[in-house]
Amino acid sequence: MSSSGHKPQRTCLGCRVVSDQDQVVRYVLSPDGEILVDYRRKLPGRGAYTCLDRSCITTAVRRNQFDRAFKGRVKHAVGEGELIANLSGQILERIVALLGMARKSGKAVAGSNLVLGALGGHGRIALVLLAEDVSDGIADKVIGKAGRMNIPCFRLLNKDSMGQVMGKGERSVVALVTGPLAEAILLELVRYKQIVGES
Ligand SMILES: [Zn+2]
């Protein structure tokens, strides 16, 4: 996120477009010759890259671009479905970790009544998360109120896991207070929805 304008550039194995390093997914080869998704760019070794895009991952796999990038050392064939599932799992983990940080720093509001109340305060809420299994009544109220204020809503997790992330019992709605954490979560949510193929 530096503003120097000289971020490292990486070429996508699928579409060959060159992008900033933080706009692509990194892959490395395990010592066993297995392709590993390295979303957080933490694993050692030579990296290969694709856009955060299902079609680029699919193209890269079908055209054997991973094997070429890793100089023929890929020992285990991997399907694009597996890579996409693995990537979406890593993005979800990242979202959950960021939500935990937001909770600890008091930047998350959990529970439908508290969220509906917080949505009344101008500019305070950046985005709203609704559990997949939220009741229609609560969803309508929250989405309606957030929509009138142009606050984006996303469906994620279920009530039980949402509550666990918030360190509470079941929670069907969580709102993120405006700030850098909410921005980071929003970025990951958009990526997640893109990769799992939801709008
Ligand atoms: Zn691409």
Side-chain angles (χ1 to χ4, degrees):
M1 307 283 153
S2 85
S3 54
S4 69
H6 293 287
K7 293 177 194 171
Q9 303 285 295
R10 305 294 184 216
T11 305
C12 170
L13 291 180
C15 67
R16 313 308 303 183
V17 166
V18 178
S19 306
D20 287 348
Q21 158 176 284
D22 53 11
Q23 301 300 317
V24 293
V25 190
R26 183 172 191 265
Y27 306 83
V28 296
L29 204 61
S30 77
D32 299 337
E34 192 183 348
I35 300 168
L36 304 177
V37 180
D38 180 28
Y39 183 61
R40 303 293 313 283
R41 304 201 302 270
K42 298 210 183 254
L43 298 176
R46 182 195 162 81
Y49 303 85
T50 69
C51 302
L52 274 146
D53 188 300
R54 296 169 67 92
S55 65
C56 290
I57 296 170
T58 303
T59 305
V61 168
R62 296 197 179 160
R63 295 192 185 151
N64 273 326
Q65 293 295 344
F66 284 102
D67 201 44
R68 222 160 284 163
F70 291 120
K71 315 235 181 272
R73 291 179 295 117
V74 176
K75 297 280 184 290
H76 304 277
V78 65
E80 63 268 20
E82 205 178 317
L83 289 180
I84 290 168
N86 198 308
L87 173 60
S88 60
Q90 290 191 33
I91 302 175
L92 187 58
E93 267 175 38
R94 178 68 184 145
I95 294 170
V96 166
L98 289 167
L99 285 172
M101 288 165 65
R103 167 178 69 96
K104 284 183 192 139
S105 55
K107 299 292 183 193
V109 180
S112 52
N113 288 331
L114 286 177
V115 169
L116 282 167
L119 282 172
H122 286 284
R124 214 171 85 78
I125 299 300
L127 68 113
V128 175
L129 296 174
L130 295 134
E132 306 276 8
D133 52 350
V134 63
S135 76
D136 290 343
I138 292 177
D140 285 350
K141 264 194 224 172
V142 172
I143 292 170
K145 196 162 183 183
R148 285 192 291 281
M149 303 176 71
N150 287 322
I151 294 170
C153 296
F154 294 86
R155 297 271 181 148
L156 196 78
L157 306 171
N158 57 28
K159 290 192 278 194
D160 192 38
S161 34
M162 191 89 96
Q164 278 175 28
V165 175
M166 289 299 126
K168 300 198 161 90
E170 288 190 348
R171 285 294 180 276
S172 51
V173 190
V174 170
L176 279 305
V177 174
T178 306
L181 265 175
E183 276 169 39
I185 291 168
L186 183 59
L187 172 77
E188 301 293 347
L189 278 167
V190 171
R191 287 177 164 184
Y192 179 72
K193 295 292 178 183
Q194 217 172 310
I195 287 297
V196 298
E198 296 170 24
S199 61

